[in-house]
Amino acid sequence: MSSAIAVLTLVGAMISAGPAAADSIRDKEYWLGEYGITKAWDASKGAGVKVAVIDSGIDGKHPDLKGAVVGGTDVSGAGDSKGEKPIGAKPEHGTLVTTMLAGRGHSTPTPSASASASPSATPSKPAVGNGLDGIIGVAPEAEILSVSTWLGSPNPGGPTDQEQIPAAVRWAVDHGAKVINISLGSTSPEWPQSWDAAFLYAEQKDVVVVAAAGNRQGGNVQVGAPATIPGVLTVAGLDRKRIASIDSSSQGISIGVAAPAEDLAGGMPGGQYAQWAGTSGAAPIVSGVAALIRSKYPDMSAKQVINRIISTAKDAGTPGKDPIYGYGILDAEAAVKATVPEVKTNRLGSIAEWIRVHRRGVLDTPSAQPSSVQAAPTPTLKDPKAPVAAAPSEIDATLPAAVVIGFAALILAILIGAGVHLWRAARRPIQGGANPGDGTDTSSIDVVKDSPKDS
């Protein structure tokens, strides 16, 4: 197995960016109504759940993220200590992802009311988020942990993806994340062994890990790591017609669910907005739904959360689970509200079991060794006597010498015979003319004349 990821990229493509009317950008969030998210808000908005976004850093000062980012770090050596400095090949990526996951929206200041205006004319606070303008996320009351990484180009800070990803996952788990969103991927289904322990740690600490499947347009024809890691909820992408996106979704057996990946809208650093596409945007939609579930059912295990999402998905493509839609198309309302039987295991697999089978071992912390040395058990068999080597026979000892002498005598006889032959040849007179070449030769050579050219 390869020990390195060949290409690690942020799996989203920005289509257009720049100043946009905040009130019009809200109208572009078609997934809120079409995928049951607004109806799911009747039961939960994600309050009390920390979601870690492992990405390119988040602009926590974006108007739609006011109060959303509650902590963070940088594992690249190139960002700031809070993980809020956009870095990497696509520095805007993390802010786009986060606004879709947990944006609060905002209220656009209006001209000062006249003195005669009635106090009742002041609009009331909306039921969801901080205002009617801007991006509202799937889990608008969830708390965000920003873990900035430098991916997609050589890291000036030093650490490689093999070092950054496990460090990011461990930090997120240690700081209370109940859901981790990873909107990045590679062109290889394999992952470095250095990632094993971190994803095992997340599994053991009961954290839901959501990853993007990758984009064909970006070179990811098949799902790449970390979306291939057992137990991770991998998200494929759909177009506006709820059909697998040709450009914005890879395929693979690890896909768990499909969500919107085209005609997306999100916030950009500096308070701007953009339309974009990619499974990078599909993943935070599903991560947001996971936060809604964990908020409504705080004692529910990660495997049950994942089971609710994939069990309530609407089947698409080949009946049953398939490598394009996984278990089907996301239904947020059903995932939050439906009655779903419990499962004993994560239906998407277990990294612990994978390590046991494929790495030939486990990565659990070894138990402490006893301080005193235990006495060796009493042997049950008598001490065996050491075997005694038999003396070599005289035939074995004399045979090699006889062989050598025999070959030497043979060679000497050949040399003597050759000498006698040459002595006799020297004494024989040359027959023929003056040219030695006309005389008798020991070899037979047929000289072939040039053949006539074809006419």
Side-chain angles (χ1 to χ4, degrees), residues 393-418:
S393 64
E394 295 181 359
I395 296 178
D396 293 338
T398 58
L399 182 60
V403 172
V404 172
I405 293 172
F407 273 107
L410 178 62
I411 293 172
L412 181 60
I414 292 173
L415 291 175
I416 293 172

Side-chain angles (χ1 to χ4, degrees), residues 334-351:
V336 174
K337 297 180 179 180
T339 300
V340 178
E342 292 190 0
V343 292
K344 295 182 179 180
T345 59
N346 186 341
R347 293 170 64 186
L348 300 179
S350 165
I351 183 63

Side-chain angles (χ1 to χ4, degrees), residues 312-346:
T312 58
K314 297 179 179 179
D315 193 22
T318 303
K321 187 178 186 297
D322 64 66
I324 297 177
Y325 297 92
Y327 286 94
I329 297 172
L330 177 70
D331 184 340
E333 181 184 18
V336 174
K337 297 180 179 180
T339 300
V340 178
E342 292 190 0
V343 292
K344 295 182 179 180
T345 59
N346 186 341

